[in-house]
Amino acid sequence: MIRYRYPRIPESEVTPKPLLDSRRRFLRQGAALGAVAAAPGLLWSADAKAWQSKLEGRLEEALASSDLANGEAPTSLRDITTYNNFYEFGTGKRDPEVYGHRLVTDPWSLAIEGEVDKAGTFALEDVLAGQMLEERIYRHRCVEAWSKVIPWAGFPLADLLKRHGPTSRAKYVVFETIHDPDNLRGQRRSIIEWPYREALRIDEAMHPLTMLAVGLYGEVMPNQNGAPIRLVVPWKYGFKSIKSIVRIALVEERPTTSWHDRNPEEYGFYANVNPGVDHPRWSQARERRIGESGRRETLMFNGYADEVAHLYADMDLHRHY
Ligand code: MTE
């Protein structure tokens, strides 16, 4: 078994080679932990605050890369954590790094509601207990025509949803970010209707590429990237990948979503990366990779067409953008 530890990356230095060479490996939890997580009545653990230190250990000890970015070099940790969209902290790209420390992530709980057999509010630690963590390097393409390549750590959203037993009426999955205007200065301004809300169709949510991420570059998720738990849907524009999730609800009707409601012409519900469908104010044919000069061609479904195109086989993607 190959063990790989990430180097601490001080600056804009990346070390893509070991990342790309390292093999896929999964963290297997001990049976005892799994049993605790599954036992009814134990879902609220006494030491909810412990999730962070436990997760650190798990991320450091047993991560390995599965390269789903076709060998493209990961963006530097510095660029990943200093050029962000997280409007809860302001609209500037540096705001999330500067103000992110105000986000209180420990303790954290996640409500899972609606069309599920097992609804409730769960300490994050219990959500993570017994869950295999996996690292995946994904392309990350923002609607604003910039992109990154990010080594995320997390697990398929489908794992979580299946554990809660979606009913046959569950057609969409809604996600909400924490609402805490005292600490999140952006939420004192009406940039969008808070809290930030996103949604996926159930088949998109259950797709094996769709992840809940709790870390990146082998470390616990930085606040500015959506600590402690965020969505990652690599074939869609970044605004679908909602950060700092406190609520997941399975519903029958298509729900409202923040950016689509604010401006449906500019932000479609599907938001699939598509170089052939421009944003009304700019082209989506090319993108700027953060940390690189020049522009590169944008790939259909962000390069994940083989995996996801079938989800939209009967749809006019110009109309359902
Ligand atoms: N989630 C919340 N809660 N608030 C936000 O402002 N911005 C979105 C998405 N998730 C956003 C969010 C947008 S527009 C993008 S491009 C990505 O997060 C950016 O992720 P990154 O900062 O990790 O690159």
Side-chain angles (χ1 to χ4, degrees):
M1 189 147 64
I2 293 173
R3 291 208 151 230
Y4 177 71
R5 270 174 190 276
Y6 286 100
R8 297 257 160 191
I9 297 166
E11 270 280 306
S12 55
E13 300 296 318
V14 210
T15 317
K17 188 78 171 76
L19 269 171
L20 301 176
D21 286 349
S22 64
R23 306 272 158 79
R24 180 201 294 253
R25 191 152 48 87
F26 299 106
L27 171 60
R28 298 190 193 285
Q29 284 288 295
L33 256 182
V36 170
L42 284 177
L43 283 169
W44 276 102
S45 68
D47 59 343
K49 286 199 176 190
W51 74 260
Q52 188 146 346
S53 52
K54 284 192 186 158
L55 181 60
E56 268 162 23
R58 289 171 61 184
L59 290 172
E60 273 174 22
E61 266 173 33
L63 275 180
S65 300
S66 123
D67 174 16
L68 292 152
N70 201 28
E72 290 170 33
T75 302
S76 72
L77 180 62
R78 186 190 172 91
D79 283 336
I80 290 174
T81 54
T82 57
Y83 189 93
N84 299 99
N85 277 342
F86 200 165
Y87 282 12
E88 284 80 346
F89 296 110
T91 51
K93 296 287 182 263
R94 299 299 293 254
D95 287 341
E97 182 214 358
V98 173
Y99 301 105
H101 63 280
R102 297 292 306 266
L103 175 68
V104 180
T105 58
D106 206 346
W108 191 271
S109 54
L110 188 60
I112 301 174
E113 300 171 348
E115 295 295 343
V116 282
D117 296 332
K118 279 173 260 161
T121 300
F122 306 94
L124 182 62
E125 191 185 351
D126 296 325
V127 172
L128 300 182
Q131 177 63 56
M132 280 200 305
L133 296 181
E134 179 186 352
E135 184 184 70
R136 295 179 180 181
I137 305 174
Y138 275 155
R139 288 182 212 90
H140 176 70
R141 169 63 156 83
C142 185
V143 73
E144 297 165 312
W146 52 263
S147 65
K148 303 172 181 170
V149 173
I150 305 186
W152 300 109
F155 56 93
L157 171 64
D159 285 7
L160 178 72
L161 298 181
K162 282 181 203 153
R163 264 191 274 145
H164 291 268
T167 74
S168 58
R169 286 185 301 278
K171 302 280 176 5
Y172 292 89
V173 184
V174 195
F175 306 84
E176 268 177 26
T177 295
I178 184 174
H179 189 228
D180 179 13
D182 287 345
N183 285 307
L184 307 180
R185 60 197 283 277
Q187 289 183 335
R188 292 177 226 147
R189 293 169 52 202
S190 51
I191 304 164
I192 53 165
E193 201 176 306
W194 307 109
Y196 196 107
R197 170 194 269 245
E198 259 310 331
L200 298 172
R201 228 169 47 188
I202 189 82
D203 57 342
E204 299 175 322
M206 298 298 272
H207 191 281
L209 285 179
T210 304
M211 266 181 112
L212 284 173
V214 293
L216 60 81
Y217 260 115
E219 311 242 345
V220 170
M221 186 69 75
N223 284 7
Q224 58 266 45
N225 294 89
I229 187 161
R230 74 171 287 173
L231 187 67
V232 178
V233 195
W235 70 93
K236 291 181 180 281
Y237 292 122
F239 70 88
K240 299 295 286 184
S241 292
I242 183 172
K243 297 176 169 182
S244 306
I245 300 167
V246 292
R247 180 171 169 265
I248 298 178
L250 288 84
V251 297
E252 194 163 6
E253 304 290 327
R254 193 172 107 177
T256 59
T257 51
S258 296
W259 286 107
H260 181 65
D261 288 0
R262 199 191 125 112
N263 194 338
E265 308 282 301
E266 298 199 355
Y267 308 103
F269 173 81
Y270 285 96
N272 292 317
V273 174
N274 188 339
V277 176
D278 288 338
H279 185 280
R281 289 184 281 139
W282 57 80
S283 163
Q284 293 291 23
R286 295 167 77 75
E287 66 199 51
R288 181 170 64 93
R289 178 68 48 85
I290 304 298
E292 289 180 5
S293 54
R295 289 180 163 252
R296 53 169 71 216
E297 308 267 311
T298 288
L299 304 173
M300 187 62 200
F301 295 112
N302 207 21
Y304 301 100
D306 287 351
E307 291 89 348
V308 302
H310 68 277
L311 298 177
Y312 313 100
D314 302 327
M315 288 170 56
D316 174 353
L317 297 180
H318 286 262
R319 205 156 75 81
H320 298 284
Y321 51 92

